[in-house]
Amino acid sequence: MLPFKSLIVLDKSAEMAVFLQLAGQIRQLISEGLLPTGQKLPGTRQLAELLRLHRKTVIAAYDELLAEGWLEARAGSGTFVAGHLPVVLPKPIEKAADSQKGRGEPGFQFVRKPHLARPLLLMNDGLRLDDGFPDIRIAPMDELARAYRSYFRWGNPQQHFGYGDPKGNRLLREELSVFLNETRALRTTPDNILVVRGSIMGIHLASTLLLEPGQTAVVGETNWSGANMNFLQTGADLLTVAVDGHGLDVEALAELCRHRPVRLVYVTPHHHYPTTVTMPPDRRLRLLQLSQQYGFVILEDDYDYEFHYLRRPILPLASADPHNMVIYVGSLSKSVAPAFRIGYVVAPETVIDELARLRRIIDRQGDTMLEFAVGQLFRNGDLRRHLKKAHLTYEARCQHFCSLLKEELPDVVQFAKPEGGLAVWARFDRQFDLNQLAGKARREGLTFADGLAHNPPGQWLNSTRLGFASSTETELEQSVAVLRKLTRG
């Protein structure tokens, strides 16, 4: 007889019923070949005594396995492992405690891709100078709650709670079309818009559609790692060109195009990530000319267009694209709150149709209720009012934070006041190792990124993004005070 008492370990305090635990462990012994096909099991009374259980518990476990086909009862002979099961060669018997080890590792091999190892950004408690997040405390939560409630009161329940259009809620696409046409001079209809779960989903879908293994994608030497990961995931060759005080060096891109075919160029021209600089009009026009000349697609990521402070925002590349070579990606996550996983892709209708087909195989549709609610916020003006309020708030915080850095840390941090966005690109004096400084700051209750993710291969920028929008002016003063304390020497 197998050592059932050693092989079966039951937890009577667990939420799962004991008879189900017993059935599951007998099933596992059969699967591992320790109970072979045709093996007779102990009688219910005998097993109950071995395991110190009530006999009815064992009977219930046997009945469960009989119903599932793992066991078979033979009249007058007892209960046996079913004869129709395949033969499994048994492994060496392990003690129950040892058999629980290694649950974190699979029994099969798979390839771990280094480009997916990207640090996870979380909004921690305490002081923070984050990557450039909005302040969720000023988000229109009450208005959103009212819009959610209206979803349950309005329209056909079958339509509301059934499957919807993979392109996104029609109301939201209609309102986004009006909003983008008015604020960005785009020429869209709802059929030119795909609603996605944040801009990164739009980038993933676009790169999946456009890039094949071995084709060339080009990004700036400093760039958002989330975009880079998606391009590498397609198997494309990812090349970089220089970035200066005016964004992507388009003449360096032109030189690259003269030597090899380029399929896609990814840019964040309004506020280059991570340096926040704005690409001037002459470079924008040259980039569009190069796209037409060499036939590459421009993937324009306009992640925080709403927040530009020094003058009117420069219109997107997509607004001046006569040849439909630009795919435009944006997001409401930076405008309202990161938990609002709503982004959008703007492209010619045939491209949107194909992106929607791709979207269906990973995500049948978006969050219909959230999309409807945000569409309502657009329609009744609540979201536009919020964006206006947020713009004024973040502009004031930008001014205050830059003044603090200039006054309190003049010999520690070098920066150019950003024309817009939600963060300052800060270069620290090299006597202060950012990695060590970030660690010391965390122990003082202040969180900010160590900047390692922004370093191009072989370079040490000792720079990082210091987000100001998610902190009040008082919190910004406290954060700078921590930095001043740690760098005073």
Side-chain angles (χ1 to χ4, degrees), residues 246 248 250-251 253-254 267 269 278-294 296 298 300 314-323 325-326:
H246 301 288
L248 192 78
V250 294
E251 293 308 322
L253 173 63
V267 287
T278 299
M279 182 181 287
D282 58 328
R283 286 199 184 185
R284 291 168 180 254
L285 290 175
R286 178 66 170 143
L287 181 56
L288 289 169
Q289 291 170 356
L290 291 173
S291 174
Q292 174 65 14
Q293 180 180 352
Y294 291 103
F296 59 76
I298 299 173
E300 181 179 15
I314 297 178
L315 293 175
L317 291 165
S319 69
D321 172 29
H323 303 291
M325 298 298 288
V326 178

Side-chain angles (χ1 to χ4, degrees), residues 8-56:
I8 294 177
V9 179
L10 305 171
D11 182 0
K12 296 182 180 180
S13 65
E15 292 186 7
M16 180 183 289
V18 174
F19 84 92
L20 290 176
Q21 295 182 50
L22 177 57
Q25 294 191 38
I26 293 174
R27 189 187 300 112
Q28 187 68 25
L29 293 175
I30 297 172
S31 299
E32 294 175 353
L34 295 176
L35 283 175
T37 298
Q39 171 75 45
K40 183 177 181 180
L41 270 67
T44 56
R45 190 183 305 278
Q46 182 184 12
L47 189 58
E49 290 176 357
L50 279 172
L51 301 178
R52 297 185 178 181
L53 298 173
H54 196 285
R55 185 185 176 195
K56 289 184 178 180

Side-chain angles (χ1 to χ4, degrees), residues 119-227:
L120 185 64
L121 296 176
L122 298 175
M123 298 185 73
N124 299 318
D125 293 333
L127 299 173
R128 60 181 176 270
L129 298 172
D130 50 46
D131 190 59
F133 300 151
D135 190 344
I136 61 175
R137 292 169 294 189
I138 67 171
M141 295 303 183
D142 291 339
E143 294 85 347
L144 182 67
R146 285 196 295 270
Y148 257 107
R149 287 194 294 271
S150 71
Y151 185 83
F152 294 91
R153 297 193 301 264
W154 172 84
N156 182 349
Q158 280 290 100
Q159 182 182 5
H160 273 3
F161 297 101
Y163 286 116
D165 191 336
K167 294 180 183 178
N169 179 268
R170 181 73 184 185
L171 170 64
L172 179 56
R173 288 190 291 129
E174 289 173 353
E175 293 299 322
L176 275 173
S177 178
V178 172
F179 178 71
L180 295 174
N181 293 347
E182 289 180 358
T183 60
R184 291 154 172 80
L186 300 183
R187 297 172 296 279
T188 70
T189 72
D191 293 328
N192 296 122
I193 296 174
L194 173 70
V195 179
V196 289
R197 294 183 188 267
S199 58
I200 195 165
M201 185 179 190
I203 293 168
H204 175 78
L205 293 173
S207 57
T208 301
L209 174 65
L210 297 172
L211 293 172
E212 299 289 341
Q215 291 185 322
T216 299
V218 178
V219 300
E221 190 175 45
T222 55
N223 194 54
W224 183 40
S225 61

Side-chain angles (χ1 to χ4, degrees), residues 406-450:
K406 185 176 181 179
E407 294 167 5
E408 301 294 331
L409 301 170
D411 300 323
V412 176
V413 176
Q414 295 181 5
F415 69 98
K417 183 179 178 182
E419 295 185 8
L422 306 180
V424 168
W425 177 243
R427 185 170 76 251
F428 281 71
D429 189 283
R430 288 184 178 270
Q431 67 175 303
F432 304 106
D433 185 296
L434 254 181
N435 188 29
Q436 296 179 11
L437 186 61
K440 293 177 182 178
R442 279 194 297 273
R443 292 189 286 275
E444 295 287 335
L446 169 65
T447 301
F448 65 90
D450 58 18

